Amino acid sequence: AKNSKEAEKIEVLPHSIVKSPWGINVASTWTIENNYLNFIGIGLAVERPETIVKAYYSDNVELECPSENLRSIADRYLKAVDAEITEKSDLRRKYKVEIEQIIESAMTHGSKLILGLAIGQAMNRLYSMRLTHLKLIPEKIAEIIEAPYPWISKVYSFRFGGFVISGGRLNGKRVPPLLVRYNFPENCFIVLGILKKEVKFQDFPEIENANLEKRLSEEINWITLVRLLPAVIEQNVVEIGKALSEIGRIILSNKSYLNLCQKLMSSSAMEAIKESTRLLLERGALGASQSMFEPVVYGLVDELKKGEALSDSLKKFLEDYGGGEVLLTKPNNSGAVIHYTILKKNEVR
């Protein structure tokens, strides 16, 4: 009987965990015509760097982050999501959100968006059991946190994984509809190089209101429609590589694009990206390009050993530009994984 009473006193806590893939911004182009923004975003989800966020009920409202710099970013997203939950219910909320895993030295604007989505989904999963009308899908979370649209393809990389294309005419909306989604070939590897300390975390009105050359959008959209998308559908890694390299060549030679990039990163970073792309192709990558509007370069290979050798070469090369995180990863075709468990209170850290 005593054991039974003690068991009744054990407090259990709902506990949600979100494990998110990273998203390569293959292309992000737009033109502004008659006050309408015509947008196309192309993304590819990869396994690493992985972001893990936990949320559970607590005695207080808490946010646990690896650093104060990251805290300021995460806190803004958490407050925006919390305000949305408050609007839908008078439920008294006390919770703890924990950023368990994130490569802070590899933070980019796109990484910030993924973090915001992970926080939103962790909170949504935690409260949706008690608020059945609460349905914060990633697109809704992106609207809530005012995600900058140059990186908006990562919303669908986060939700669905694989190769995604979103787009349309945006009229007051921030997230365009998903147009197509396909599994990316899994018989390949991606070498990812992220320059350190190159991101200027700032607001984006100057960038979002800028008009990219219409020719840039037309060229990228044509290559995507005629070469890249058919190669993904056919699971042809070699042709995918060629198409990605062609996109890289176009964006890294376009003045309107390069001018916008200089508002986000230094000229040294852009030089490193150009030279890194060249290095990857010279050393045997099937394709290489920049993750658009980010200090990130990536290369596609079809063999593990080749990927390991390219990763070593890229790591050494980036040391001349202040260093960087270099990861050998694979495509992610499933999107973010969301777990919901019940833990004893003493099991929560």
Side-chain angles (χ1 to χ4, degrees):
K2 183 179 178 181
N3 289 340
S4 177
K5 288 182 179 179
E6 288 180 351
E8 289 175 2
K9 293 180 181 179
I10 295 175
E11 187 175 352
V12 295
L13 299 174
H15 183 91
S16 65
I17 306 172
V18 177
K19 296 182 179 181
S20 169
W22 204 76
I24 293 174
N25 202 22
V26 175
S28 181
T29 66
W30 66 88
T31 57
I32 302 172
E33 297 176 335
N34 300 323
N35 295 322
Y36 285 100
L37 188 138
N38 304 307
F39 177 87
I40 291 288
I42 305 167
L44 168 62
V46 293
E47 295 288 348
R48 302 171 62 205
E50 186 180 54
T51 297
I52 301 178
V53 174
K54 293 182 177 180
Y56 41 84
Y57 294 128
S58 178
D59 296 329
N60 299 291
V61 174
E62 301 177 72
L63 173 62
E64 185 174 312
C65 290
S67 73
E68 287 305 310
N69 181 50
L70 188 61
R71 177 183 296 276
S72 64
I73 298 169
D75 186 58
R76 180 168 68 87
Y77 292 146
L78 182 56
K79 286 178 178 176
V81 173
D82 182 75
E84 180 72 15
I85 296 174
T86 301
E87 186 179 308
K88 295 184 181 303
S89 170
D90 58 0
L91 182 70
R92 189 177 180 185
R93 297 167 317 286
K94 288 186 178 180
Y95 53 80
K96 181 175 181 179
V97 171
E98 178 183 341
I99 314 302
E100 182 176 89
Q101 179 175 309
I102 194 168
I103 301 181
E104 193 171 0
S105 60
M107 282 292 286
T108 68
H109 293 294
S111 302
K112 286 175 58 182
L113 172 53
I114 290 170
L115 175 61
L117 294 171
I119 290 172
Q121 284 289 268
M123 289 289 285
N124 176 71
R125 190 66 185 88
L126 183 65
Y127 281 101
S128 61
M129 295 297 290
R130 298 170 69 180
L131 302 173
T132 56
H133 60 285
L134 182 66
K135 299 188 184 302
L136 297 182
I137 62 174
E139 297 94 307
K140 177 63 176 178
I141 295 170
E143 296 281 356
I144 293 169
I145 65 176
E146 298 181 344
Y149 58 69
W151 300 274
I152 215 71
S153 67
K154 294 176 188 275
V155 173
Y156 294 113
S157 295
F158 175 95
R159 184 174 183 184
F160 298 113
F163 178 81
V164 295
I165 301 178
S166 59
R169 173 166 283 190
L170 303 186
N171 182 19
K173 291 184 7 181
R174 191 159 284 272
V175 183
L178 177 66
L179 302 179
V180 297
R181 185 264 172 209
Y182 287 96
N183 279 351
F184 199 81
E186 296 187 355
N187 60 333
C188 65
F189 299 86
I190 292 112
V191 178
L192 199 66
I194 307 174
L195 274 70
K196 288 184 179 179
K197 299 177 182 177
E198 273 298 343
V199 179
K200 303 173 185 176
F201 291 129
Q202 61 184 38
D203 293 328
F204 307 96
E206 192 174 359
I207 297 172
E208 292 192 340
N209 294 329
N211 208 356
L212 287 168
E213 287 182 14
K214 191 174 182 180
R215 180 173 59 87
L216 175 66
S217 297
E218 291 174 345
E219 289 182 350
I220 290 178
N221 295 344
W222 177 255
I223 291 171
T224 300
L225 184 62
V226 175
R227 297 180 59 185
L228 180 56
L229 183 57
V232 171
I233 294 172
E234 295 171 356
Q235 301 285 283
N236 189 325
V237 177
V238 173
E239 290 303 316
I240 290 172
K242 291 178 181 178
L244 292 174
S245 293
E246 185 63 14
I247 289 175
R249 182 193 67 77
I250 290 170
I251 63 176
L252 292 175
S253 61
N254 183 275
K255 288 185 178 181
S256 70
Y257 171 71
L258 295 176
N259 288 339
L260 283 184
C261 279
Q262 288 182 358
K263 300 180 187 299
L264 298 170
M265 62 198 85
S266 67
S267 57
S268 173
M270 289 308 300
E271 179 185 348
I273 288 168
K274 288 182 179 180
E275 295 303 320
S276 297
T277 303
R278 184 179 294 113
L279 173 77
L280 289 170
L281 291 173
E282 288 176 351
R283 299 290 175 88
L286 297 175
S289 185
Q290 177 192 12
S291 182
M292 281 188 74
F293 296 105
E294 296 185 283
V296 178
V297 63
Y298 65 95
L300 183 70
V301 297
D302 56 358
E303 296 177 8
L304 178 59
K305 287 186 177 180
K306 188 180 294 183
E308 292 172 339
L310 277 177
S311 296
D312 291 340
S313 298
L314 183 59
K315 183 75 173 177
K316 293 176 182 177
F317 177 80
L318 291 180
E319 289 175 359
D320 293 337
Y321 292 90
E325 293 286 346
V326 176
L327 303 169
L328 182 60
T329 184
K330 287 185 68 65
N332 174 293
N333 284 316
S334 57
V337 177
I338 304 171
H339 298 288
Y340 184 82
T341 58
I342 301 295
L343 298 178
K344 296 176 185 178
K345 189 172 183 180
N346 61 4
E347 292 177 328
V348 178
R349 288 196 298 146

